[in-house]
Amino acid sequence: SEDFEGRVMLLDFWLTSCIGCIGATPKLNRLQARFRDRGFSIVSFNQDPGEEAEVLRFMEERQIRYPVIMDSEDPSIAERFGVFAFPAEILVGRDGKIYAAHRRPATEEQLAREIEALLGSGSGDQIAVQTDTGRAEVDPVVSQCVPSRATCS
């Protein structure tokens, strides 16, 4: 979407029944508040298809302050990003490339460092690595590489 063009994005994948997902919402609210005015946004993809009322109740109770999308496409957006366990967090640079993929909850401090690096650098090319599937962008503290060509479209 044009609303997010040129922004550093954190894509959050979660379920209402996931303990780690529930625990992550305060951290994500704080990161959104801290970096929003510097070109950072969170978009959250809920994985509870058909449970819109439950998700809305959860969002109110947890005071979620970032957009939540019901991920009901086939294949799901999570599947297109290779996410099959929750929670998962994917950090995307202003250039649309994936720079970090956390397959378990990252600490707030770790995400803040990664966000700060991407906001400061513009592109994050200083953290590029090469994989057998093509060029991927990752933070050195992330153990998994995700191909840059992964998209949501």
Side-chain angles (χ1 to χ4, degrees):
S1 164
E2 288 181 26
D3 294 341
F4 299 115
E5 193 171 320
R7 296 182 72 78
V8 172
M9 302 288 302
L10 179 69
L11 309 180
D12 172 51
F13 298 88
W14 62 286
L15 294 158
T16 56
S17 60
C18 164
I19 300 300
C21 304
I22 294 166
T25 56
K27 161 187 81 176
L28 297 176
N29 278 335
R30 287 189 297 271
L31 289 168
Q32 175 77 358
R34 179 175 171 185
F35 294 109
R36 172 184 45 233
D37 294 337
R38 294 182 52 205
F40 170 76
S41 295
I42 295 173
V43 176
S44 187
F45 296 93
N46 176 268
Q47 306 301 305
D48 294 306
E51 300 293 329
E52 288 83 0
E54 173 65 19
V55 172
L56 287 171
R57 184 188 62 73
F58 181 91
M59 291 171 60
E60 277 185 27
E61 286 177 4
R62 296 284 168 190
Q63 300 178 356
I64 292 177
R65 299 188 187 345
Y66 43 85
V68 174
I69 296 169
M70 297 298 294
D71 192 4
S72 57
E73 295 184 27
D74 187 18
S76 71
I77 294 169
E79 290 171 327
R80 289 188 250 169
F81 273 98
V83 173
F84 298 98
F86 308 99
E89 299 157 334
I90 296 177
L91 194 59
V92 180
R94 295 179 193 271
D95 55 6
K97 294 180 182 176
I98 295 172
Y99 288 89
H102 299 281
R103 303 302 182 188
R104 63 189 73 149
T107 66
E108 185 171 347
E109 295 76 24
Q110 181 179 4
L111 286 171
R113 280 192 314 270
E114 293 168 352
I115 294 164
E116 190 71 54
L118 287 172
L119 288 171
S121 71
S123 71
D125 282 339
Q126 76 282 4
I127 53 178
V129 299
Q130 188 69 30
T131 68
D132 59 349
T133 58
R135 185 158 188 226
E137 310 292 336
V138 297
D139 185 287
V141 298
V142 178
S143 61
Q144 295 185 349
C145 297
V146 179
S148 298
R149 62 178 177 251
T151 65
C152 260
S153 56

